[in-house]
Amino acid sequence: MLLPVFVLVRRVDLADVIGSALVAKAAGAGARTIAAVLRRPVDTVRGWLRRFEQRAEHVRVYFTVLLVDTGPDPIPPAASVSVFADAVSAVVGAWKAAASRWPDIGEVSPWQLAAATSRGRLLSPRWP
């Protein structure tokens, strides 16, 4: 079964909704605050955050390599306070690198790019 670029495997919410939760967490927000803003159950949001936290180093490495391989003049993101925040920065950086190389890709969000490049498995335990 082929998934559209805006969803993740085994997730009901759009990749952009999940991505906004990950960005908020990287900025220091807690699960309850994020859930209230997104109008999603706290347990759902907490599940996204925990799964991403478990995969953060793999996500960081994968998207940093994608950033360096894709960008015409790549600048990898500097290290931040957490691996979680570094992984979020790597996803956004890879999206910026792809958008600078292929301007039409700017029509998709960083989280749609992440969903597409991970084949919908961004939060999957067996990816990458």
Side-chain angles (χ1 to χ4, degrees):
M1 175 178 185
L2 295 175
L3 292 175
V5 70
F6 52 83
V7 297
L8 296 173
V9 172
R10 303 188 70 170
R11 306 292 171 197
V12 174
D13 291 288
L14 299 176
D16 288 333
V17 173
I18 296 169
S20 65
L22 301 175
V23 169
K25 172 67 174 173
R32 290 185 190 280
T33 303
I34 297 167
V37 169
L38 296 177
R39 298 184 186 146
R40 299 295 190 273
V42 174
D43 290 338
T44 299
V45 172
R46 193 173 285 128
W48 298 338
L49 301 178
R50 284 181 181 160
R51 181 56 61 96
F52 192 79
E53 179 74 41
Q54 294 168 353
R55 309 294 302 145
E57 180 60 20
H58 296 289
V59 172
R60 184 194 67 76
V61 169
Y62 183 87
F63 283 97
T64 299
V65 168
L66 181 62
L67 182 161
V68 170
D69 288 349
T70 304
D73 191 16
I75 300 173
S80 65
V81 297
S82 70
V83 175
F84 191 104
D86 290 344
V88 169
S89 292
V91 170
V92 173
W95 173 75
K96 287 180 181 178
S100 70
R101 170 144 307 179
W102 301 288
D104 292 337
I105 203 155
E107 297 174 9
V108 300
S109 73
W111 301 103
Q112 290 171 352
L113 176 74
T117 58
S118 69
R119 296 179 306 279
R121 300 187 189 306
L122 183 66
L123 299 180
S124 176
R126 293 194 172 117
W127 179 85

